[in-house]
């Protein structure tokens, strides 16, 4: 390995369960809207992942729905039945064939699912509380899940984990962030239940912890070698009431007590400051790392476009650095660092380079036409 100032990013990393990554750089999970209607991964998606899996030590896929009622986006791929095992296997092989560990992000969209793609047209959630939208509007009013449906979805997470194992993935990441169903049960905004699945903080933790236990049981039963189980979370919500840093600390304590291989803090800006629930003025990520210290490694993410940004992020105490938008812009980001060419890393999306970047049409249209998603080079 070429020794440079950025060499700390390229050091190997070993999880407590023994799985080793070739470096400390991770491809963050990013929805790409490009799967087939039946939930199978498309050729364009496979090429997109192959293009980006040669450098990172670990690739976390776009979120995959654990049952059809949890499909959160058009063009999302699935892990809700065994008929999709060949598709999942193709994706795992594509990523691992480039030298990265492959982690499948498993999820249910809950009230965020578009009604037009649901069988009965009404999304579900912990309670009949719509999401608050930018500009003051609200989303559709979801139907509260029954106790039987909740236990079924928990089992679905376990079954999706079994399929990930059978397909050859190296791990799964439970998507408990970005306002989707797992977070909806933890949030005091979206969970107004008065049964065993809601109420005080302890009861709002019941669903996320049950999902984690279901996943871990599937690993225990089906994995023949070390298998990674991670958990992604959003540390705060803007709503009142909403998740605050105080509640996130309780979530971290609960998850690490159950046992997770890593925690993944979902942040748009890594160095963002907390709003509520802590008197500590340090960044959210530093406080998260402190809370998890000695119990689970933390993955940090958020606008780390340059090698200098990524290197500086290690000062927060994170163990692994996730790159999402930077790898959309420059799929050779990691290789350039490894080869001493960090100064050549591109930090703006070249709007004339779709073919070179191997980005599927649906994702390309979203990137080009969504203001503020990526810095664009015209």
């Amino acid at each position: 390995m070429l020794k440079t100032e950025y060499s700390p990013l390229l050091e190997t990393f070993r999880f407590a369960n023994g799985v080793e990554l070739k470096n400390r750089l991770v491809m963050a999970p990013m929805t790409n809207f490009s799967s087939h209607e039946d939930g199978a991964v498309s050729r364009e998606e496979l090429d997109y992942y192959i293009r980006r899996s040669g450098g990172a030590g670990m690739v976390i896929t776009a979120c995959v729905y654990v049952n059809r009622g949890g499909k959160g986006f058009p063009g999302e791929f699935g892990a809700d039945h065994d008929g999709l095992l060949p598709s999942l296997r193709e994706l795992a092989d594509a990523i691992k064939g480039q030298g990265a560990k492959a982690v499948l992000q498993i999820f249910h969209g809950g009230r965020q699912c578009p009604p037009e793609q649901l069988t009965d047209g009404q999304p579900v959630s912990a309670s009949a509380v719509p999401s608050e939208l930018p500009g003051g509007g609200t989303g559709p009013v979801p139907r509260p899940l029954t106790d039987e449906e909740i236990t079924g979805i928990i089992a679905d997470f376990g079954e999706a984990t079994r399929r990930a194992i059978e397909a050859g993935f190296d791990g799964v990441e439970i998507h408990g962030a970005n306002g989707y169903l797992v977070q909806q049960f933890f949030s005091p905004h979206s969970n107004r239940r008065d049964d065993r699945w809601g109420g005080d903080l302890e009861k709002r933790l019941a669903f996320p912890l049950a999902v984690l236990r279901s996943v871990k049981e599937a690993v225990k039963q089906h994995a023949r070698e070390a298998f990674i189980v991670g958990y992604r979370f959003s540390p705060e919500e803007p709503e009142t009431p909403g998740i605050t840093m105080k509640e996130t600390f309780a979530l971290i304590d609960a998850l690490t007590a159950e046992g997770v291989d890593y925690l993944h803090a979902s942040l748009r800006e890594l160095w963002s400051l907390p709003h509520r629930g802590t008197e500590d003025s340090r960044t959210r990520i530093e406080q998260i790392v402190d809370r998890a210290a000695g119990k689970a490694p933390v993955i940090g993410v958020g606008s780390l476009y340059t090698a200098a940004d990524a290197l500086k992020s290690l000062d927060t105490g994170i163990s692994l650095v996730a790159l999402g938008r930077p790898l959309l812009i420059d799929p050779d980001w990691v290789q350039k660092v490894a080869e001493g060419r960090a100064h050549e890393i591109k930090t703006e999306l070249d709007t004339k380079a779709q073919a070179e970047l191997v980005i599927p049409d649906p994702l390309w249209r979203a990137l080009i036409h969504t203001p503020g998603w990526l810095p664009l080079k015209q």
Side-chain angles (χ1 to χ4, degrees):
M1 182 178 74
L2 183 66
K3 282 286 185 183
T4 72
E5 63 186 297
Y6 303 115
S7 294
L9 296 168
L10 303 174
E11 295 170 352
T12 58
F13 177 83
R14 184 184 293 270
F15 290 104
N17 68 1
V19 176
E20 185 171 284
L21 309 183
K22 65 183 180 182
N23 58 48
R24 298 171 71 178
L25 296 163
V26 175
M27 179 172 166
M30 293 177 287
T31 301
N32 55 56
F33 315 108
S34 301
S35 298
H36 296 300
E37 180 56 34
D38 64 358
V41 176
S42 66
R43 180 69 248 177
E44 290 77 15
E45 277 179 292
L46 293 174
D47 292 341
Y48 161 86
Y49 278 105
I50 289 169
R51 182 71 180 86
R52 287 165 175 78
S53 299
M58 184 168 81
V59 170
I60 306 171
T61 71
C63 56
V64 56
Y65 53 87
V66 301
N67 76 31
R68 188 59 179 76
K71 183 177 179 180
F73 315 95
E76 183 184 358
F77 71 109
D80 60 322
H81 62 85
D82 285 357
L84 289 171
L85 275 168
S87 165
L88 294 169
R89 196 169 290 119
E90 275 194 298
L91 180 55
D93 289 347
I95 294 169
K96 293 167 68 174
Q98 301 301 308
K101 299 296 184 184
V103 172
L104 186 72
Q105 190 186 65
I106 51 178
F107 123 125
H108 188 297
R111 68 182 184 183
Q112 304 291 73
C113 294
E116 63 272 12
Q117 68 181 26
L118 301 175
T119 306
D120 62 2
Q122 186 176 24
V124 295
S125 186
S127 303
V129 180
S131 56
E132 295 184 5
L133 303 177
T138 59
V141 177
R143 176 179 63 79
L145 288 159
T146 66
D147 187 271
E148 182 179 6
E149 288 173 321
I150 291 168
T151 56
I153 290 171
I154 291 165
D156 291 336
F157 274 92
E159 280 291 275
T161 301
R162 172 184 63 80
R163 294 182 188 105
I165 293 166
E166 293 182 8
F169 281 92
D170 299 293
V172 294
E173 178 176 279
I174 299 166
H175 196 349
N178 304 114
Y180 298 120
L181 186 67
V182 176
Q183 182 176 326
Q184 288 163 32
F185 269 88
F186 180 55
S187 167
H189 179 267
S190 44
N191 187 347
R192 312 289 175 90
R193 301 178 74 97
D194 57 6
D195 61 1
R196 64 178 175 144
W197 302 110
D200 61 17
L201 177 60
E202 183 178 354
K203 287 187 175 180
R204 286 188 280 110
L205 279 165
F207 182 78
L209 294 181
V211 167
L212 176 58
R213 290 170 191 144
S214 179
V215 166
K216 291 187 68 179
E217 182 60 28
V219 173
K220 181 181 177 182
Q221 288 189 22
H222 301 286
R224 298 291 172 260
E225 53 192 33
F227 189 83
I228 302 163
V229 175
Y231 189 103
R232 194 175 209 218
F233 62 94
S234 294
E236 291 188 275
E237 290 179 323
E239 296 88 358
T240 302
I243 296 169
T244 69
M245 291 298 294
K246 181 180 179 181
E247 284 155 322
T248 286
F249 295 150
L251 175 66
I252 291 170
D253 292 346
L255 293 172
T256 53
E258 287 288 330
V260 289
D261 292 302
Y262 70 79
L263 297 168
H264 188 176
S266 182
L267 296 167
R268 188 169 176 85
E269 303 288 339
L270 182 76
W271 289 282
S272 59
L273 297 174
H275 298 298
R276 298 177 295 181
T278 177
E279 298 302 315
D280 193 330
S281 61
R282 292 178 303 158
T283 62
R284 292 162 166 160
I285 194 66
E286 289 172 295
Q287 296 186 51
I288 288 164
V289 167
D290 274 3
R291 194 73 181 205
K295 295 179 283 188
V298 175
I299 299 178
V301 68
S303 301
L304 305 173
Y305 289 105
T306 68
D309 291 336
L311 183 66
K312 180 184 174 187
S313 75
L314 295 177
D315 294 340
T316 66
I318 59 175
S319 298
L320 296 166
V321 181
L323 305 171
R325 290 170 289 172
L327 287 179
L328 288 175
I329 294 169
D330 193 337
D332 300 314
W333 197 105
V334 181
Q335 291 92 323
K336 287 178 179 178
V337 171
E339 294 164 7
R341 298 188 294 125
H343 60 283
E344 295 180 17
I345 289 173
K346 297 172 183 174
T347 57
E348 295 178 317
L349 183 72
D350 185 342
T351 56
K352 299 177 176 63
Q354 181 186 2
E356 175 192 340
L357 296 173
V358 192
I359 295 178
D361 286 343
L363 176 58
W364 184 258
R365 288 193 294 269
L367 294 174
I368 297 300
H369 298 298
T370 306
W373 190 349
L374 290 178
L376 302 180
K377 177 185 176 184
Q378 301 296 337

